[in-house]
């Protein structure tokens, strides 16, 4: 298997190198994350945790934008998150510095889909 660093040198679409991080969470927090992630369509809590971290980074760092994280966005697409929700989340978190919950964005997306049908 070719290491990611070597592949990236010759690829038109380089991959971001991800490193594992270990954190301790209370059982209550894990239960809430599991319930929320399943409600929002995430298969595991890892994607939801990443989303929360990204939203916090967007709020705290003006020079950072969720739009630059292609790997994260592509993962959301593969998990079935609509492009509308992704686009709206990027605009809201980057331009307004105001974070809306993913469930709120999904409800708006579903309402728009029902209106258009």
């Amino acid at each position: 298997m070719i290491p990611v660093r070597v592949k990236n040198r010759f690829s038109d679409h380089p991959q971001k190198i991800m490193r594992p991080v270990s954190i301790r969470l209370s059982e209550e927090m894990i239960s809430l994350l599991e319930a929320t992630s399943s409600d929002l369509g995430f298969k595991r809590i890892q994607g939801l945790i990443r989303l929360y971290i990204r939203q916090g980074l967007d709020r705290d760092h003006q020079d950072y934008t969720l739009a630059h994280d292609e790997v994260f966005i592509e993962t959301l697409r593969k998990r079935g998150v609509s492009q509308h929700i992704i686009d709206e989340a990027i605009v809201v978190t980057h331009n307004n510095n105001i974070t809306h919950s993913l469930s709120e964005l999904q409800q708006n997306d579903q309402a728009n889909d029902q209106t258009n049908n």
Side-chain angles (χ1 to χ4, degrees):
M1 178 168 233
I2 300 171
V4 174
R5 291 177 202 275
V6 174
K7 282 184 189 178
N8 284 347
R9 285 188 206 161
F10 305 102
S11 175
D12 292 336
H13 305 287
Q15 298 176 5
K16 295 207 177 192
I17 297 171
M18 307 279 274
R19 291 186 347 192
V21 175
S22 177
I23 61 172
R24 294 183 188 275
L25 302 173
S26 69
E27 289 296 326
E28 178 185 14
M29 191 178 292
I30 292 170
S31 296
L32 288 170
L33 284 166
E34 288 171 342
T36 305
S37 65
S38 67
D39 289 347
L40 298 177
F42 288 92
K43 291 183 181 177
R44 298 177 3 190
I45 63 173
Q46 183 176 358
L48 182 60
I49 292 170
R50 278 195 199 129
L51 176 65
Y52 289 155
I53 292 170
R54 298 280 178 223
Q55 287 176 341
L57 288 170
D58 282 347
R59 266 195 321 268
D60 296 341
H61 299 281
Q62 291 294 340
D63 58 335
Y64 175 84
T65 174
L66 185 62
H68 293 154
D69 195 340
E70 301 89 9
V71 173
F72 181 71
I73 292 169
E74 188 58 33
T75 302
L76 290 175
R77 279 191 200 109
K78 287 179 182 175
R79 303 247 191 259
V81 176
S82 75
Q83 186 61 46
H84 173 75
I85 290 174
I86 293 169
D87 292 342
E88 190 171 339
I90 290 169
V91 168
V92 168
T93 56
H94 182 64
N95 292 340
N96 298 332
N97 231 6
I98 299 171
T99 303
H100 294 278
S101 69
L102 185 57
S103 60
E104 192 176 355
L105 294 173
Q106 283 183 320
Q107 289 171 355
N108 292 341
D109 192 45
Q110 289 170 354
N112 289 339
D113 287 346
Q114 291 174 355
T115 304
N116 293 335
N117 291 333

